[in-house]
Amino acid sequence: PYVDLIAKYGIGIVLVVLFIKKRRQGIVLLAESDLEGPSNAMPPMNPVELQRELVQLRISDPDFSMVLFMDFARLVYTRYHELHRGRSGSPEEIKPFISPEMYEALLEQREALGEADVSITNVIIGGASIISLEHGLLLTAIHLRMLVGFTLNSKETHERRIYHAEETVTFKRKSGVISKPPEQMRSLHCPSCGSPVKTNENGFCANCGGAPVPGEEQWRLDAIVTSVEREVTGDSSEKPRERAEAKDEQPLRDPNLHESMRNLVARDLSFNLNEFRQQITTRFFELQAAWSAGDLSPLRPRMTDGLYQTTTFWIEDYRERGLRNILEDVVVHNVAPVKVDADAFYDVITVLISASAKDYTVDSAGNVLFGNRAKPTHYREYWTFIRRLASTENPISLNCPNCSAQLEEAIAQDCPYCGAFIEGAQFDWTAAFIDQEAAYRG
């Protein structure tokens, strides 16, 4: 019966009927008309205002790292969806990182899910970006726009459907709190003592005996609002996402670029901008080739987990429709730094890459359905690279950030002890974000 409902109303309505059935603080649900109408996504904050709020946040929290926050947000958001949409596991492991209202709803959802003949698996994030930040005296809130994909499975008919949804996700934390170090931002560890979350019979941390209040010592997931949802139908006639033709506009260059670049060179006397440009150009060509081949695995050590997952999401989107997007005769015309930043843990460089390529999409038989295999498309993308900040006070660690095991080599690898992926940013410049020209906000 649920598969019939989904066919008629969409997965969002069925999830509402199955799991919550009411509106409560911290969770906003949609009506049928919301799914059929235009997007009700939160409008993005002005880039200047966003940067101003970020500066204020860093003044009160000098250890705040946007890189680490995005990793933490992805981790909590994905685990929450996995828990309430069908994956086995205990809600206790995520309790310190979500609001009490969301935790209560999670328990209700899991109970209802156990009685349904549908389950949801393969939760994957296809994109994440900050749309606004509010740094107040008592609370700090960060609002993200997340694109998520998941698979709906019918236990009765074994039918499998894939859905994509766009959601506005809110994280909150008490203002004035100092951010956790990388090893705690990249794993669900107790906010009080840093040990893996494991509770005793009374619901307290089995290691320190504490009961962390969500949002007091670590960010908490506070709300998820779905604005757009669609089924990936496998219809090859449906036009996929395309690269936009480059606009004749001035790049979004940070006004403090030159000063920030001088600071980077002062910290790292070995840094050479021309060599960095060459390195980035090589990475760009490698990714275009891997994208066209539909296989990113050779590039995994050179991308953060978040970017790897995002790019894989779009490759799978093409594959589910029986399509492949191809880039041929790729030419890089310019690589221009537009922003240099540093936080307590990372150096961050954003460059604007101007390129051209024959950009077209083929079906399984090789027929060109979209694009032009004869005429080049000129496009511009903002690429952000990160590298662990090295100094005498903060040396690069050769320990796994998840289990603290000693590593033998300074290379991207899977930890031989816990299996966690240790990305290359620990040791070298690694691609973290790729923004189309129209989406980059500085």
Side-chain angles (χ1 to χ4, degrees):
Y2 295 112
V3 173
D4 295 334
L5 283 174
I6 289 162
K8 183 176 182 180
Y9 298 114
I11 178 65
I13 296 302
V14 176
L15 290 177
V16 171
V17 173
L18 285 176
F19 302 150
I20 303 184
K21 300 183 182 179
K22 62 182 178 179
R23 181 184 295 257
R24 61 174 70 246
Q25 182 181 359
I27 299 179
V28 181
L29 302 177
L30 301 177
E32 178 182 352
S33 58
D34 292 322
L35 293 178
E36 296 177 347
S39 170
N40 64 344
M42 176 185 293
M45 178 181 281
N46 179 286
V48 175
E49 296 177 356
L50 180 60
Q51 290 302 314
R52 185 184 302 121
E53 293 291 325
L54 179 58
V55 168
Q56 292 300 314
L57 173 56
R58 281 184 169 176
I59 290 174
S60 64
D61 177 11
D63 283 358
F64 178 80
S65 167
M66 188 64 73
V67 173
L68 293 176
F69 170 79
M70 293 299 287
D71 286 346
F72 175 80
R74 284 174 173 271
L75 177 65
V76 174
Y77 174 82
T78 301
R79 194 68 185 112
Y80 177 82
H81 275 296
E82 289 173 340
L83 284 169
H84 92 76
R85 288 181 164 177
R87 178 175 170 174
S88 61
S90 171
E92 291 291 327
E93 68 183 83
I94 203 174
K95 186 176 182 179
F97 312 106
I98 62 177
S99 69
E101 293 81 10
M102 293 199 74
Y103 182 72
E104 180 185 346
L106 173 61
L107 298 180
E108 293 181 15
Q109 291 166 358
R110 286 173 62 84
E111 182 179 355
L113 183 63
E115 303 170 359
D117 67 351
V118 293
S119 65
I120 294 179
T121 56
N122 301 332
V123 180
I124 183 170
I125 296 175
S129 60
I130 291 182
I131 54 177
S132 68
L133 190 159
E134 303 164 81
H135 181 57
L137 292 175
L138 300 179
L139 283 177
T140 297
I142 298 181
H143 306 282
L144 306 172
R145 185 156 297 154
M146 295 278 202
L147 179 62
V148 60
F150 51 87
T151 302
L152 175 73
N153 308 278
S154 169
K155 299 176 183 177
E156 181 178 352
T157 65
H158 303 290
E159 188 177 5
R160 172 178 172 271
R161 295 186 180 185
I162 297 175
Y163 287 83
H164 290 172
E166 181 183 296
E167 298 182 329
T168 300
V169 183
T170 298
F171 283 83
K172 291 183 179 179
R173 191 188 67 181
K174 182 180 178 181
S175 294
V177 173
I178 303 300
S179 291
K180 303 296 181 182
E183 58 271 14
Q184 290 191 48
M185 293 296 289
R186 289 199 167 108
S187 55
L188 298 181
H189 288 181
C190 171
S192 297
C193 68
S195 65
V197 173
K198 185 178 181 181
T199 57
N200 56 28
E201 62 276 7
N202 298 317
F204 300 127
C205 174
N207 184 62
C208 68
V213 178
E216 288 286 317
E217 300 176 72
Q218 178 61 289
W219 295 96
R220 77 180 186 213
L221 177 60
D222 208 68
I224 297 176
V225 181
T226 303
S227 54
V228 175
E229 193 168 63
R230 71 175 179 87
E231 181 182 359
V232 180
T233 62
D235 182 3
S236 61
S237 65
E238 182 182 352
K239 195 171 185 178
R241 188 182 71 159
E242 293 185 319
R243 291 167 190 81
E245 188 79 24
K247 299 179 181 179
D248 187 18
E249 296 179 353
Q250 291 295 320
L252 289 177
R253 186 177 288 109
D254 182 47
N256 300 316
L257 173 64
H258 296 299
E259 179 182 356
S260 300
M261 183 66 77
R262 286 194 296 268
N263 292 337
L264 170 61
V265 174
R267 292 193 310 273
D268 180 8
L269 297 179
S270 66
F271 179 81
N272 183 288
L273 182 57
N274 289 330
E275 292 178 358
F276 177 76
R277 281 196 177 103
Q278 293 173 2
Q279 181 181 12
I280 297 325
T281 300
T282 300
R283 301 280 179 87
F284 184 83
F285 281 125
E286 289 174 343
L287 181 57
Q288 311 310 299
W291 171 272
S292 298
D295 180 14
L296 292 179
S297 56
L299 297 186
R300 186 170 181 248
R302 300 180 181 179
M303 308 167 72
T304 64
D305 254 8
L307 180 58
Y308 182 82
Q309 187 180 90
T310 295
T311 312
T312 300
F313 174 95
W314 289 109
I315 288 179
E316 291 298 325
D317 182 54
Y318 276 93
R319 185 172 290 137
E320 288 292 335
R321 305 184 201 186
L323 305 176
R324 186 161 64 95
N325 182 237
I326 299 175
L327 296 167
E328 287 182 348
D329 300 333
V330 180
V331 177
V332 173
H333 301 286
N334 192 28
V335 177
V338 295
K339 187 175 182 179
V340 177
D341 196 8
D343 55 41
F345 304 100
Y346 288 95
D347 279 315
V348 184
I349 299 181
T350 300
V351 298
L352 175 61
I353 300 179
S354 301
S356 62
K358 294 172 183 175
D359 180 4
Y360 59 95
T361 300
V362 299
D363 60 17
S364 57
N367 301 311
V368 176
L369 300 183
F370 309 104
N372 192 325
R373 71 187 316 163
K375 180 182 177 181
T377 296
H378 293 263
Y379 58 100
R380 301 199 299 186
E381 295 176 341
Y382 289 87
W383 285 46
T384 298
F385 291 82
I386 64 173
R387 183 191 62 180
R388 187 66 187 266
L389 189 68
S391 67
T392 55
E393 296 80 15
N394 188 27
I396 292 177
S397 171
L398 286 182
N399 294 87
C400 172
N402 186 56
C403 70
S404 299
Q406 181 72 28
L407 305 175
E408 295 183 0
E409 296 181 276
I411 59 172
Q413 58 182 294
D414 290 326
C415 175
Y417 299 95
C418 71
F421 176 64
I422 304 165
E423 61 193 21
Q426 294 284 339
F427 319 110
D428 195 8
W429 293 106
T430 300
F433 307 103
I434 299 176
D435 294 297
Q436 301 299 309
E437 184 177 18
Y440 181 69
R441 303 182 58 238

